[in-house]
Amino acid sequence: MAEPNLKEMAAVIKEMRETTTKLRGASDIPAVVKNCDRILASVRMLELDIAEVADL
Amino acid sequence: MYTTSAYWNPVLETLPREKLRKLQLKKMQRQVQWGYDRSKVYRRLYEAAGFTPDQLKTWEDIAKVPMISKEDYRSAQAKDPFPYGDSLCVPLEDVTEYRQTSGTTGQPVYQPDTWQDWDWWAECWAYILWAQGFRPSDRVFLPFGYNIFTAFWAGHYGSEKLGAEVVPGGILNTEERLLKMKEIKATAFMATPTYVLGMAESCQKKLGFSARELGITKILCAGEPGASVAGTKNRMAEAWGAEVFDHVGATEVGAWGYECSHHCRGVHVNEAMFLLELVDPETNEIITEPEKQGKIVLTAFDRQAQPAIRFDTKDLGMWMAEPCSCGRTFGVLKGGVLGRADHLTKVKGVLFSPLAVEEVVRATPQLGDEYELIVTKKGDTDIITLKVELAPGFENQEAEVKDELARELRIKTNLNYKMEFHPFGSLPRYQVKAKRFKDLREDSH
């Protein structure tokens, strides 16, 4: 398997955060807000695992 | 295929040390600022020491950050917002998880976590489990009554995260758990070393078959240092015919250390998620050289609701000189956690660690798994009583075992013991954290 391109992966993770944040703010529907919160927690794990290393 | 990867996250687990240090400093600066801005208890602690986060510029500056202790949390809690008080760093409505410490050393510490914190707990456990060979094909049995304590909730969520099938065995008794493990063909389980041994004994004694017949391939241990004590680990591996792994964590900190499948006789510190410092108990100076014992001080870099920033665990450890052959760049603590600083006590003028006695007892094949260690005082003399059981089949060997035990204990601890041999099965059995060491000297005056 080829070496992962961390910068490219970090860019995708950033898009995921932006997209989810946008969806979370799009309504006051509890089902949307709280599911987005869970997605954002998982996105945070991807940031810790990948995105923050890409910046080093 | 991702399941063939030796690492949960090769990016962090094999990060060159220089980059790892850079990442740790960056995370430390962020977390110290978070605690200072959001938590009254950290703000008070730092102000009292004349410390501000902008003083943390270099790796060496980390030693300037004041340490926090369990007592600091205790005094900050049970106030508004109840029950976390001044230690809470997020709005109360963001807290989704309540756990607490066991209270072994006093008033329990309440531990809040947000959902992100809880996902982080599971993430840290996924690092552990993957390194120990847990995979999506595993069926993991949890023979433990889940409750207000962290154990083994995070193991459950970590197993799920990596894709394993998790079977909660909480409400069942020991025999029912063993039978369920057999029925569903569990491949792995998690328990304290004490309970791992107790289950094997129950299997043979009450169900009439060997635990080896259950087909368990992996056992993850937590809660006690036993899985890093060679004699205890060998007993567990022998009783179950399985690979036994140690893991270390704390409710206030997180799951910070793990043994990997290369079994280098130590635990890796997940240095991407935690900073582990060894501190000289007398001088508070940082110990960086290997083979020198110090107090373990931990920082969880990414925990939000109630962060642990330079938390004084009062546990003891030492760095291993050689790297592990697994390829991880994370540092290794030789022998895992080497005991508690507050259990390290002077008996007859000699510095004494109860863990050294466990090493001797568990390496003596004629003895059962259980023992008790009680220190009392008669006049000015300290007396250490060691209660043991002869294993079935060795009942007539008391005299020779006594001599062998006395000799080994003398070599290992420089102390003499009053030895008591009790019938097999008569000493207390424990399911969770065992309390085998009792220092009754204060009470005996």
Side-chain angles (χ1 to χ4, degrees):
Chain A
M1 197 178 152
E3 279 292 301
N5 185 326
L6 296 184
K7 288 206 183 296
E8 272 181 24
M9 290 170 78
V12 176
I13 294 165
K14 188 165 176 263
E15 277 175 36
M16 288 168 73
R17 173 166 291 284
E18 286 166 359
T19 305
T20 313
T21 305
K22 192 175 168 189
L23 178 62
R24 191 191 189 281
S27 75
D28 284 330
I29 301 169
V32 174
V33 172
K34 297 317 284 180
N35 276 301
C36 284
D37 282 347
R38 289 211 167 199
I39 295 168
L40 286 169
S42 293
V43 170
R44 183 70 191 133
M45 296 309 114
L46 290 170
E47 289 168 350
L48 299 179
D49 281 331
I50 303 294
E52 293 196 347
V53 191
D55 290 345
L56 291 176
Chain B
M1 182 62 177
Y2 74 94
T3 50
T4 59
S5 170
Y7 312 103
W8 172 249
N9 181 5
V11 174
L12 288 178
E13 290 176 86
T14 62
L15 197 63
R17 293 291 302 174
E18 192 187 323
K19 281 194 170 183
L20 192 55
R21 283 283 179 253
K22 210 172 157 187
L23 179 69
Q24 286 187 305
L25 178 60
K26 188 174 131 184
K27 286 185 162 209
M28 189 71 183
Q29 287 167 328
R30 182 174 67 202
Q31 193 68 341
V32 165
Q33 189 70 55
W34 174 269
Y36 185 79
D37 290 344
R38 304 269 190 141
S39 152
K40 287 179 190 166
V41 68
Y42 278 105
R43 174 66 71 113
R44 272 199 304 270
L45 194 66
Y46 293 176
E47 283 180 352
F51 173 81
T52 50
D54 60 356
Q55 292 170 22
L56 177 51
K57 292 187 172 71
T58 66
W59 182 256
E60 289 69 34
D61 293 336
I62 292 174
K64 294 178 190 164
V65 181
M67 285 188 249
I68 193 162
S69 68
K70 209 182 264 274
E71 289 71 32
D72 292 316
Y73 289 133
R74 283 181 182 133
S75 61
Q77 294 192 330
K79 299 173 188 164
D80 283 334
F82 187 81
Y84 311 111
D86 292 348
S87 67
L88 189 63
C89 288
V90 297
L92 192 57
E93 57 269 28
D94 288 356
V95 175
T96 60
E97 311 293 321
Y98 169 93
R99 304 283 187 286
Q100 65 171 67
T101 60
S102 59
T104 318
T105 57
Q107 167 70 23
V109 171
Y110 307 122
Q111 185 64 50
D113 279 309
T114 63
W115 179 256
Q116 181 180 299
D117 287 333
W118 192 243
D119 204 9
W120 167 86
W121 260 103
E123 187 71 20
C124 294
W125 266 81
Y127 278 82
I128 295 166
L129 294 165
W130 199 272
Q132 299 178 346
F134 286 72
R135 294 292 181 272
S137 53
D138 274 306
R139 180 171 293 137
V140 184
F141 192 83
L142 285 154
F144 189 79
Y146 297 53
N147 54 39
I148 49 177
F149 307 129
T150 309
F152 280 87
W153 283 105
H156 182 129
Y157 280 72
S159 300
E160 281 182 350
K161 182 166 237 189
L162 67 79
E165 183 183 350
V166 191
V167 186
I171 198 77
L172 308 173
N173 66 30
T174 300
E175 291 81 72
E176 288 166 342
R177 286 169 178 165
L178 287 160
L179 290 170
K180 184 56 74 179
M181 287 162 81
K182 188 179 182 189
E183 176 197 336
I184 61 162
K185 296 184 171 59
T187 61
F189 75 97
M190 306 175 187
T192 60
T194 297
Y195 196 52
V196 172
L197 290 169
M199 285 174 83
E201 189 184 311
S202 292
C203 197
Q204 190 65 63
K205 218 158 89 180
K206 296 186 177 162
L207 299 175
F209 62 89
S210 164
R212 297 177 73 93
E213 292 175 32
L214 291 172
I216 294 292
T217 59
K218 293 173 284 288
I219 302 172
L220 178 146
C221 290
E224 298 167 349
S228 283
V229 175
T232 306
K233 189 190 198 74
N234 292 342
R235 278 177 182 242
M236 289 189 279
E238 178 61 26
W240 287 87
E243 212 174 344
V244 177
F245 296 94
D246 198 6
H247 131 270
V248 270
T251 303
E252 305 94 326
V253 182
W256 56 265
Y258 55 95
E259 186 180 5
C260 74
S261 56
H262 285 239
H263 297 289
C264 66
R265 299 205 174 276
V267 294
H268 289 278
V269 178
N270 184 342
E271 293 183 283
M273 300 291 186
F274 301 90
L275 175 69
L276 186 144
E277 300 166 273
L278 290 181
V279 173
D280 186 307
E282 309 275 315
T283 64
N284 271 351
E285 280 185 20
I286 309 292
I287 298 167
T288 52
E289 62 268 46
E291 311 282 332
K292 191 177 173 194
Q293 191 166 285
K295 205 166 55 163
I296 296 173
V297 173
L298 279 158
T299 299
F301 290 131
D302 306 295
R303 203 168 178 186
Q304 291 191 312
Q306 184 172 278
I309 306 170
R310 301 201 84 216
F311 176 71
D312 180 358
T313 65
K314 303 199 191 307
D315 285 331
L316 298 166
M318 65 167 80
W319 292 113
M320 187 179 259
E322 317 79 36
C324 179
S325 57
C326 70
R328 285 178 181 79
T329 50
F330 294 163
V332 177
L333 278 194
K334 188 177 180 179
V337 170
L338 301 174
R340 299 271 306 164
D342 46 8
H343 277 183
L344 203 65
T345 180
K346 278 201 169 178
V347 178
K348 299 179 185 178
V350 175
L351 211 52
F352 168 75
S353 165
L355 209 57
V357 175
E358 175 167 331
E359 284 178 26
V360 174
V361 170
R362 294 276 170 77
T364 307
Q366 300 97 322
L367 293 178
D369 295 327
E370 285 304 332
Y371 68 95
E372 272 195 346
L373 201 54
I374 300 160
V375 184
T376 51
K377 203 174 186 79
K378 193 172 181 184
D380 288 333
T381 310
D382 291 332
I383 297 165
I384 321 174
T385 304
L386 174 62
K387 298 181 180 181
V388 291
E389 296 174 350
L390 285 166
F394 296 101
E395 292 84 354
N396 58 353
Q397 293 189 19
E398 181 174 326
E400 54 196 86
V401 173
K402 196 172 184 177
D403 288 347
E404 187 187 327
L405 208 49
R407 190 174 55 248
E408 289 300 317
L409 287 167
R410 181 85 195 154
I411 292 168
K412 197 89 182 173
T413 67
N414 279 319
L415 290 164
N416 291 319
Y417 296 75
K418 180 184 163 198
M419 265 175 265
E420 288 183 9
F421 286 79
H422 292 256
F424 184 75
S426 64
L427 291 177
R429 264 59 181 163
Y430 300 91
Q431 286 204 13
V432 282
K433 289 187 182 186
K435 293 185 180 75
R436 299 190 179 94
F437 174 63
K438 292 165 191 161
D439 188 346
L440 305 178
R441 283 176 293 182
E442 287 295 315
D443 302 333
S444 61
H445 285 302

